[in-house]
Amino acid sequence: MKKPIIFLLIAFIQMFMFVPSVSNNFTIAKVSKTSEESKMNISAKSALLIDFNTETVLYEKNAHERLPIASMTKLATLSLVFDAIEKGAIKETDMVTVSENAASVGGSSAFLDASSSYKVSELIKTVIVASANDSSVALAEHVAGSEEVFVNKMNKFVKEQKLENTNFKNCTGLPSDDHYSSAYDMALIACAAFNNEKLLEISSTESYRTGAISNHPNGYLLKQEHRMVITED
């Protein structure tokens, strides 16, 4: 499948963006602060604009500053999940039994029932469409046995890619001390993630109905909230 022409903007503002080796050969295109930067007029603390196909940096603002990253964490989470699928460690058809730990995670949710089972593919869709924290933890536990071990794998991944301004404490992005990344590091992680055609395809999905869950025998309709994906008025 031919790659689409994409300009990827990583901006550290309150938004949710929806991402196995990461390229480190970015070309930094220096821009004039008096002209181009003023034209961008970005209020975010940190930002990085790159051409997805050439990995050329077109604009940067405090691109290496360490900041909380919220649900952009899931770009790394999904990268490891899809990597496990590609290596044959897990399958999209695997049934995942949701633990009490996963079902009780706060924040955005797919409303998973503890002890219920869901396909890996279903959980992936809920993470991408609804940024589901419970599904993220369930996938992490399925891949690595526990979220803690999975997070260790996430941090090993970023160290291997020499991403010096990233550290994970969980797989969801929920607030935690010492959990951070930079616009530059996230751009690298995002480019790697979106090289996966399956993830890119699902990312354009506007809604997804889950299987039967408590109080919702016909499933629960999860809706995409990313303004760059939603097409309806």
Side-chain angles (χ1 to χ4, degrees), residues 88-136:
I90 65 172
K91 298 178 181 178
E92 291 188 59
T93 55
D94 285 354
M95 298 301 295
V96 179
T97 300
V98 179
S99 68
E100 289 284 353
N101 178 55
S104 64
V105 176
S108 53
S109 171
F111 309 101
L112 303 181
D113 292 325
S115 300
S116 294
S117 296
Y118 305 85
K119 290 182 180 179
V120 165
S121 60
E122 294 175 318
L123 296 176
I124 288 173
K125 289 177 182 177
T126 63
V127 173
I128 297 175
V129 174
S131 185
N133 292 329
D134 48 0
S135 296
S136 297

Short mmCIF file of all heavy atoms in Angstrom, two decimals, residues 88-136:
data_model
loop_
_atom_site.label_atom_id
_atom_site.label_comp_id
_atom_site.label_asym_id
_atom_site.label_seq_id
_atom_site.Cartn_x
_atom_site.Cartn_y
_atom_site.Cartn_z
N GLY A 88 4.91 -13.06 16.21
CA GLY A 88 4.22 -14.30 16.50
C GLY A 88 4.06 -14.61 17.97
O GLY A 88 3.62 -15.71 18.33
N ALA A 89 4.42 -13.65 18.82
CA ALA A 89 4.29 -13.87 20.27
C ALA A 89 2.83 -13.91 20.69
O ALA A 89 2.45 -14.63 21.62
CB ALA A 89 5.04 -12.77 21.03
N ILE A 90 2.00 -13.12 20.02
CA ILE A 90 0.55 -13.15 20.25
C ILE A 90 -0.14 -13.08 18.89
O ILE A 90 0.51 -12.79 17.87
CB ILE A 90 0.06 -11.98 21.13
CG1 ILE A 90 0.29 -10.63 20.42
CG2 ILE A 90 0.75 -12.00 22.49
CD1 ILE A 90 -0.33 -9.45 21.13
N LYS A 91 -1.45 -13.35 18.88
CA LYS A 91 -2.22 -13.26 17.64
C LYS A 91 -3.39 -12.31 17.83
O LYS A 91 -3.90 -12.15 18.95
CB LYS A 91 -2.74 -14.65 17.24
CG LYS A 91 -1.66 -15.67 16.95
CD LYS A 91 -2.29 -17.02 16.61
CE LYS A 91 -1.23 -18.07 16.33
NZ LYS A 91 -1.84 -19.40 16.03
N GLU A 92 -3.83 -11.71 16.74
CA GLU A 92 -5.00 -10.83 16.82
C GLU A 92 -6.25 -11.58 17.24
O GLU A 92 -7.19 -10.99 17.77
CB GLU A 92 -5.23 -10.14 15.47
CG GLU A 92 -4.17 -9.12 15.09
CD GLU A 92 -4.55 -8.34 13.85
OE1 GLU A 92 -5.60 -7.68 13.86
OE2 GLU A 92 -3.80 -8.42 12.86
N THR A 93 -6.25 -12.88 17.00
CA THR A 93 -7.41 -13.70 17.35
C THR A 93 -7.35 -14.25 18.77
O THR A 93 -8.30 -14.89 19.23
CB THR A 93 -7.55 -14.87 16.36
OG1 THR A 93 -6.31 -15.61 16.33
CG2 THR A 93 -7.88 -14.37 14.96
N ASP A 94 -6.24 -14.02 19.48
CA ASP A 94 -6.14 -14.47 20.87
C ASP A 94 -7.28 -13.89 21.70
O ASP A 94 -7.65 -12.71 21.52
CB ASP A 94 -4.82 -13.99 21.49
CG ASP A 94 -3.62 -14.79 21.02
OD1 ASP A 94 -3.81 -15.79 20.31
OD2 ASP A 94 -2.48 -14.40 21.37
N MET A 95 -7.80 -14.70 22.61
CA MET A 95 -8.80 -14.20 23.54
C MET A 95 -8.09 -13.75 24.82
O MET A 95 -7.30 -14.50 25.40
CB MET A 95 -9.83 -15.29 23.86
CG MET A 95 -10.62 -15.76 22.64
SD MET A 95 -11.55 -14.42 21.82
CE MET A 95 -12.74 -13.97 23.10
N VAL A 96 -8.37 -12.54 25.23
CA VAL A 96 -7.73 -11.97 26.42
C VAL A 96 -8.76 -11.88 27.54
O VAL A 96 -9.80 -11.23 27.39
CB VAL A 96 -7.18 -10.56 26.13
CG1 VAL A 96 -6.55 -9.96 27.38
CG2 VAL A 96 -6.18 -10.60 24.98
N THR A 97 -8.47 -12.54 28.65
CA THR A 97 -9.35 -12.46 29.81
C THR A 97 -8.95 -11.23 30.63
O THR A 97 -7.80 -11.11 31.06
CB THR A 97 -9.25 -13.72 30.67
OG1 THR A 97 -9.63 -14.86 29.88
CG2 THR A 97 -10.17 -13.62 31.88
N VAL A 98 -9.88 -10.33 30.82
CA VAL A 98 -9.61 -9.06 31.48
C VAL A 98 -9.45 -9.26 32.99
O VAL A 98 -10.32 -9.84 33.64
CB VAL A 98 -10.73 -8.05 31.20
CG1 VAL A 98 -10.46 -6.72 31.91
CG2 VAL A 98 -10.88 -7.84 29.70
N SER A 99 -8.35 -8.78 33.53
CA SER A 99 -8.10 -8.88 34.97
C SER A 99 -8.86 -7.80 35.73
O SER A 99 -9.31 -6.80 35.14
CB SER A 99 -6.61 -8.74 35.25
OG SER A 99 -6.18 -7.41 34.96
N GLU A 100 -8.97 -7.99 37.03
CA GLU A 100 -9.58 -6.95 37.88
C GLU A 100 -8.76 -5.67 37.78
O GLU A 100 -9.30 -4.57 37.77
CB GLU A 100 -9.63 -7.44 39.33
CG GLU A 100 -10.64 -8.55 39.60
CD GLU A 100 -12.07 -8.02 39.65
OE1 GLU A 100 -12.25 -6.77 39.62
OE2 GLU A 100 -13.00 -8.84 39.72
N ASN A 101 -7.46 -5.83 37.70
CA ASN A 101 -6.57 -4.68 37.61
C ASN A 101 -6.86 -3.86 36.36
O ASN A 101 -6.99 -2.63 36.42
CB ASN A 101 -5.11 -5.16 37.58
CG ASN A 101 -4.13 -4.02 37.43
OD1 ASN A 101 -4.14 -3.07 38.20
ND2 ASN A 101 -3.26 -4.12 36.43
N ALA A 102 -7.00 -4.52 35.22
CA ALA A 102 -7.28 -3.81 33.97
C ALA A 102 -8.67 -3.17 33.99
O ALA A 102 -8.84 -2.02 33.57
CB ALA A 102 -7.16 -4.77 32.79
N ALA A 103 -9.66 -3.91 34.47
CA ALA A 103 -11.03 -3.42 34.46
C ALA A 103 -11.22 -2.22 35.37
O ALA A 103 -12.13 -1.40 35.16
CB ALA A 103 -11.99 -4.54 34.87
N SER A 104 -10.36 -2.07 36.36
CA SER A 104 -10.53 -1.01 37.36
C SER A 104 -9.75 0.25 37.03
O SER A 104 -9.82 1.24 37.77
CB SER A 104 -10.11 -1.52 38.74
OG SER A 104 -8.72 -1.84 38.76
N VAL A 105 -9.02 0.26 35.93
CA VAL A 105 -8.23 1.43 35.57
C VAL A 105 -9.16 2.61 35.27
O VAL A 105 -10.17 2.47 34.60
CB VAL A 105 -7.35 1.15 34.33
CG1 VAL A 105 -6.61 2.42 33.90
CG2 VAL A 105 -6.36 0.05 34.64
N GLY A 106 -8.82 3.78 35.79
CA GLY A 106 -9.66 4.95 35.60
C GLY A 106 -9.42 5.64 34.27
O GLY A 106 -8.66 5.18 33.42
N GLY A 107 -10.08 6.77 34.07
CA GLY A 107 -9.92 7.54 32.85
C GLY A 107 -10.74 6.99 31.70
O GLY A 107 -11.72 6.28 31.90
N SER A 108 -10.36 7.32 30.48
CA SER A 108 -11.08 6.86 29.30
C SER A 108 -11.12 5.34 29.27
O SER A 108 -10.13 4.67 29.60
CB SER A 108 -10.43 7.40 28.02
OG SER A 108 -9.06 7.10 27.99
N SER A 109 -12.26 4.79 28.87
CA SER A 109 -12.47 3.36 29.06
C SER A 109 -13.33 2.74 27.96
O SER A 109 -14.11 3.42 27.30
CB SER A 109 -13.16 3.14 30.42
OG SER A 109 -13.59 1.81 30.60
N ALA A 110 -13.16 1.43 27.78
CA ALA A 110 -14.03 0.66 26.90
C ALA A 110 -15.06 -0.10 27.71
O ALA A 110 -15.79 -0.93 27.19
CB ALA A 110 -13.21 -0.32 26.06
N PHE A 111 -15.07 0.15 29.02
CA PHE A 111 -16.04 -0.45 29.95
C PHE A 111 -15.94 -1.97 29.95
O PHE A 111 -16.95 -2.68 29.96
CB PHE A 111 -17.46 0.00 29.61
CG PHE A 111 -17.59 1.49 29.48
CD1 PHE A 111 -17.62 2.10 28.23
CD2 PHE A 111 -17.66 2.29 30.61
CE1 PHE A 111 -17.73 3.48 28.10
CE2 PHE A 111 -17.76 3.68 30.50
CZ PHE A 111 -17.80 4.27 29.24
N LEU A 112 -14.71 -2.47 29.95
CA LEU A 112 -14.50 -3.91 29.95
C LEU A 112 -14.94 -4.54 31.27
O LEU A 112 -14.76 -3.95 32.34
CB LEU A 112 -13.02 -4.23 29.71
CG LEU A 112 -12.38 -3.68 28.43
CD1 LEU A 112 -10.92 -4.11 28.37
CD2 LEU A 112 -13.14 -4.16 27.20
N ASP A 113 -15.50 -5.73 31.19
CA ASP A 113 -15.89 -6.47 32.38
C ASP A 113 -14.75 -7.37 32.83
O ASP A 113 -14.16 -8.09 32.02
CB ASP A 113 -17.11 -7.35 32.09
CG ASP A 113 -18.36 -6.53 31.83
OD1 ASP A 113 -18.52 -5.47 32.46
OD2 ASP A 113 -19.17 -6.95 30.98
N ALA A 114 -14.43 -7.32 34.11
CA ALA A 114 -13.42 -8.23 34.66
C ALA A 114 -13.87 -9.66 34.46
O ALA A 114 -15.06 -9.98 34.55
CB ALA A 114 -13.21 -7.94 36.14
N SER A 115 -12.93 -10.52 34.11
CA SER A 115 -13.14 -11.96 33.87
C SER A 115 -13.78 -12.26 32.53
O SER A 115 -13.92 -13.43 32.16
CB SER A 115 -13.97 -12.60 35.00
OG SER A 115 -13.31 -12.46 36.24
N SER A 116 -14.19 -11.21 31.80
CA SER A 116 -14.71 -11.43 30.45
C SER A 116 -13.55 -11.51 29.47
O SER A 116 -12.45 -11.03 29.75
CB SER A 116 -15.65 -10.29 30.04
OG SER A 116 -16.81 -10.31 30.85
N SER A 117 -13.80 -12.10 28.30
CA SER A 117 -12.74 -12.29 27.32
C SER A 117 -13.05 -11.54 26.03
O SER A 117 -14.19 -11.50 25.57
CB SER A 117 -12.55 -13.78 27.01
OG SER A 117 -12.11 -14.48 28.17
N TYR A 118 -12.01 -10.95 25.45
CA TYR A 118 -12.13 -10.18 24.22
C TYR A 118 -10.95 -10.52 23.31
O TYR A 118 -9.86 -10.83 23.79
CB TYR A 118 -12.12 -8.67 24.51
CG TYR A 118 -13.16 -8.23 25.50
CD1 TYR A 118 -12.91 -8.30 26.88
CD2 TYR A 118 -14.39 -7.74 25.08
CE1 TYR A 118 -13.86 -7.89 27.80
CE2 TYR A 118 -15.35 -7.32 26.00
CZ TYR A 118 -15.08 -7.41 27.36
OH TYR A 118 -16.03 -7.01 28.27
N LYS A 119 -11.17 -10.43 22.01
CA LYS A 119 -10.08 -10.66 21.08
C LYS A 119 -9.06 -9.52 21.15
O LYS A 119 -9.41 -8.38 21.41
CB LYS A 119 -10.60 -10.77 19.65
CG LYS A 119 -11.40 -12.03 19.34
CD LYS A 119 -11.82 -12.04 17.88
CE LYS A 119 -12.62 -13.30 17.56
NZ LYS A 119 -13.07 -13.31 16.13
N VAL A 120 -7.81 -9.85 20.89
CA VAL A 120 -6.76 -8.84 20.83
C VAL A 120 -7.15 -7.74 19.85
O VAL A 120 -7.00 -6.55 20.12
CB VAL A 120 -5.41 -9.47 20.43
CG1 VAL A 120 -4.40 -8.40 20.02
CG2 VAL A 120 -4.84 -10.30 21.58
N SER A 121 -7.67 -8.14 18.68
CA SER A 121 -8.06 -7.17 17.66
C SER A 121 -9.12 -6.20 18.16
O SER A 121 -9.12 -5.01 17.82
CB SER A 121 -8.55 -7.89 16.41
OG SER A 121 -9.68 -8.71 16.70
N GLU A 122 -10.05 -6.70 18.99
CA GLU A 122 -11.10 -5.85 19.54
C GLU A 122 -10.52 -4.83 20.51
O GLU A 122 -10.89 -3.65 20.49
CB GLU A 122 -12.15 -6.70 20.25
CG GLU A 122 -12.95 -7.62 19.33
CD GLU A 122 -13.88 -8.53 20.09
OE1 GLU A 122 -13.49 -9.07 21.14
OE2 GLU A 122 -15.03 -8.73 19.62
N LEU A 123 -9.61 -5.29 21.34
CA LEU A 123 -8.99 -4.40 22.33
C LEU A 123 -8.17 -3.32 21.64
O LEU A 123 -8.18 -2.15 22.05
CB LEU A 123 -8.12 -5.20 23.29
CG LEU A 123 -8.85 -6.22 24.17
CD1 LEU A 123 -7.85 -7.01 25.01
CD2 LEU A 123 -9.87 -5.52 25.07
N ILE A 124 -7.47 -3.70 20.58
CA ILE A 124 -6.68 -2.72 19.82
C ILE A 124 -7.57 -1.61 19.29
O ILE A 124 -7.24 -0.43 19.38
CB ILE A 124 -5.92 -3.41 18.67
CG1 ILE A 124 -4.77 -4.27 19.23
CG2 ILE A 124 -5.39 -2.38 17.68
CD1 ILE A 124 -4.07 -5.11 18.18
N LYS A 125 -8.71 -1.99 18.73
CA LYS A 125 -9.62 -0.99 18.17
C LYS A 125 -10.12 -0.03 19.24
O LYS A 125 -10.26 1.18 19.00
CB LYS A 125 -10.80 -1.68 17.49
CG LYS A 125 -10.44 -2.38 16.20
CD LYS A 125 -11.62 -3.12 15.59
CE LYS A 125 -11.23 -3.85 14.32
NZ LYS A 125 -12.36 -4.63 13.74
N THR A 126 -10.40 -0.53 20.44
CA THR A 126 -10.90 0.36 21.49
C THR A 126 -9.81 1.31 21.97
O THR A 126 -10.10 2.44 22.38
CB THR A 126 -11.45 -0.44 22.69
OG1 THR A 126 -10.39 -1.21 23.30
CG2 THR A 126 -12.56 -1.38 22.26
N VAL A 127 -8.56 0.87 21.93
CA VAL A 127 -7.46 1.75 22.32
C VAL A 127 -7.32 2.88 21.30
O VAL A 127 -7.17 4.05 21.65
CB VAL A 127 -6.13 0.98 22.42
CG1 VAL A 127 -4.96 1.95 22.66
CG2 VAL A 127 -6.18 -0.04 23.55
N ILE A 128 -7.38 2.54 20.03
CA ILE A 128 -7.19 3.54 18.98
C ILE A 128 -8.37 4.49 18.86
O ILE A 128 -8.21 5.70 18.75
CB ILE A 128 -6.93 2.85 17.62
CG1 ILE A 128 -5.63 2.04 17.68
CG2 ILE A 128 -6.85 3.88 16.50
CD1 ILE A 128 -5.34 1.23 16.43
N VAL A 129 -9.58 3.94 18.89
CA VAL A 129 -10.78 4.77 18.69
C VAL A 129 -11.12 5.57 19.94
O VAL A 129 -11.45 6.76 19.84
CB VAL A 129 -11.98 3.89 18.29
CG1 VAL A 129 -13.27 4.73 18.23
CG2 VAL A 129 -11.73 3.23 16.94
N ALA A 130 -11.02 4.96 21.11
CA ALA A 130 -11.50 5.61 22.33
C ALA A 130 -10.42 5.84 23.38
O ALA A 130 -10.72 6.24 24.50
CB ALA A 130 -12.63 4.78 22.94
N SER A 131 -9.15 5.57 23.03
CA SER A 131 -8.05 5.74 23.98
C SER A 131 -8.32 4.99 25.28
O SER A 131 -8.07 5.48 26.38
CB SER A 131 -7.86 7.24 24.28
OG SER A 131 -6.73 7.45 25.10
N ALA A 132 -8.83 3.78 25.15
CA ALA A 132 -9.29 3.00 26.31
C ALA A 132 -8.12 2.55 27.20
O ALA A 132 -7.27 1.77 26.78
CB ALA A 132 -10.08 1.79 25.84
N ASN A 133 -8.12 3.04 28.42
CA ASN A 133 -7.06 2.67 29.37
C ASN A 133 -7.17 1.22 29.82
O ASN A 133 -6.16 0.53 29.97
CB ASN A 133 -7.11 3.59 30.60
CG ASN A 133 -6.72 5.02 30.27
OD1 ASN A 133 -5.93 5.27 29.37
ND2 ASN A 133 -7.30 5.96 30.99
N ASP A 134 -8.41 0.77 30.04
CA ASP A 134 -8.59 -0.62 30.48
C ASP A 134 -8.10 -1.60 29.41
O ASP A 134 -7.44 -2.61 29.72
CB ASP A 134 -10.04 -0.90 30.87
CG ASP A 134 -11.07 -0.41 29.86
OD1 ASP A 134 -10.67 0.16 28.82
OD2 ASP A 134 -12.28 -0.60 30.10
N SER A 135 -8.37 -1.30 28.15
CA SER A 135 -7.90 -2.16 27.07
C SER A 135 -6.39 -2.13 26.94
O SER A 135 -5.75 -3.15 26.64
CB SER A 135 -8.53 -1.72 25.74
OG SER A 135 -9.93 -1.89 25.77
N SER A 136 -5.79 -0.97 27.17
CA SER A 136 -4.34 -0.85 27.10
C SER A 136 -3.67 -1.74 28.13
O SER A 136 -2.70 -2.45 27.84
CB SER A 136 -3.92 0.61 27.34
OG SER A 136 -4.41 1.46 26.33
#
